[in-house]
Amino acid sequence: QKEVEQDPGPLSVPEGAIVSLNCTYSNSAFQYFMWYRQYSRKGPELLMYTYSSGNKEDGRFTAQVDKSSKYISLFIRDSQPSDSATYLCAMSASHAGKSTFGDGTTLTVKP
Amino acid sequence: DTGVSQNPRHKITKRGQNVTFRCDPISEHNRLYWYRQTLGQGPEFLTYFQNEAQLEKSRLLSDRFSAERPKGSFSTLEIQRTEQGDSAMYLCASSKEGYNTIYFGEGSWLTVV
């Protein structure tokens, strides 16, 4: 069983919809939680960075971490076709060093 | 800020050959990471440098893989005696100590035939 599990999708939504992306994990040592966006054949781009439990909002994006349930979420409001990409969750136990990634959820936002 | 630069972007090699990838991090970034990603999978950690010191190395990194960062600037990842299972995208990333953001390069695609 992988340390980080992520529903691969694919997920297809109409423009303007609210998107919910989720990951679960098994390693209690994870303290830092990240969401990346990756376009086809490109490197991942950091979207959100959260330490420990709680919510963090940045524009149309909201990240939630529930350490008691070992569950993290990314919400995208007013989704746009340009949001179409693969979204990767990642986690680490320390501020620097190794991050463990999920396998990504592919999102398509249809105009 | 020119971003993380990786070369070559694409490499096709025959099984058994050695290949080397180079990564130039963002200037002043003292942390450098290597990951490997195959289609449909998330990036898999290989190794991590802080300045010239290799502080962490995945158990998945076999003896055929070696990474260096001799002067704490650019880094190289060498794969010896390549196998078909080494076909993947090799990603380099860098960050600055004290900052949370990690910047990935565009990746180097390796195909072993």
Side-chain angles (χ1 to χ4, degrees), chain A residues 2 32 34 36 38 41-46 49 56 88 94-104, chain B residues 9-10 31 33 35 37 40-43 45 48 50 56 89 91 98-102 104-106 109:
Chain A
K2 292 188 174 184
Y32 300 87
M34 289 75 72
Y36 289 84
Q38 186 173 29
R41 303 186 73 83
K42 300 288 187 181
E45 172 193 12
L46 182 66
Y49 184 104
K56 184 174 183 179
L88 298 157
S94 62
H95 178 65
K98 172 185 175 181
S99 290
T100 301
F101 282 79
D103 287 336
Chain B
R9 293 293 317 281
H10 299 89
R31 292 176 175 163
Y33 309 79
Y35 285 82
Q37 186 176 24
Q41 305 290 313
F45 174 80
Y48 156 61
Q50 180 152 313
E56 198 170 354
M89 179 168 65
L91 288 160
Y99 292 81
N100 299 330
T101 306
I102 298 174
F104 279 85
E106 298 286 86
W109 287 89

Side-chain angles (χ1 to χ4, degrees), chain A residues 5-20:
Chain A
E5 298 281 356
Q6 185 173 6
D7 186 342
L11 188 60
S12 181
V13 301
E15 184 174 355
I18 297 174
V19 176
S20 173

Side-chain angles (χ1 to χ4, degrees), chain B residues 24-68:
Chain B
D24 288 273
I26 295 171
S27 60
E28 299 182 353
H29 281 197
N30 62 333
R31 292 176 175 163
L32 187 145
Y33 309 79
W34 285 100
Y35 285 82
R36 177 175 66 185
Q37 186 176 24
T38 55
L39 285 174
Q41 305 290 313
E44 180 181 44
F45 174 80
L46 293 177
T47 191
Y48 156 61
F49 291 86
Q50 180 152 313
N51 301 310
E52 66 275 11
Q54 189 174 24
L55 297 186
E56 198 170 354
K57 185 176 174 180
S58 168
R59 290 173 295 173
L60 297 170
L61 215 63
S62 72
D63 291 342
R64 297 185 299 106
F65 287 72
S66 63
E68 294 182 345

Side-chain angles (χ1 to χ4, degrees), chain A residues 30-108:
Chain A
F30 288 147
Q31 297 282 342
Y32 300 87
F33 304 91
M34 289 75 72
W35 285 96
Y36 289 84
R37 178 174 61 197
Q38 186 173 29
Y39 294 111
S40 181
R41 303 186 73 83
K42 300 288 187 181
E45 172 193 12
L46 182 66
L47 286 176
M48 301 288 284
Y49 184 104
T50 309
Y51 171 68
S52 194
S53 286
N55 295 356
K56 184 174 183 179
E57 187 174 323
D58 184 2
R60 296 184 296 112
F61 298 91
T62 299
Q64 290 185 350
V65 175
D66 182 349
K67 290 187 66 181
S68 63
S69 300
K70 296 188 177 66
Y71 187 88
I72 71 170
S73 300
L74 178 70
F75 297 95
I76 307 173
R77 291 183 300 279
D78 187 25
S79 56
Q80 302 295 309
S82 58
D83 294 328
S84 298
T86 296
Y87 290 80
L88 298 157
C89 63
M91 309 173 188
S92 64
S94 62
H95 178 65
K98 172 185 175 181
S99 290
T100 301
F101 282 79
D103 287 336
T105 300
T106 300
L107 170 68
T108 301

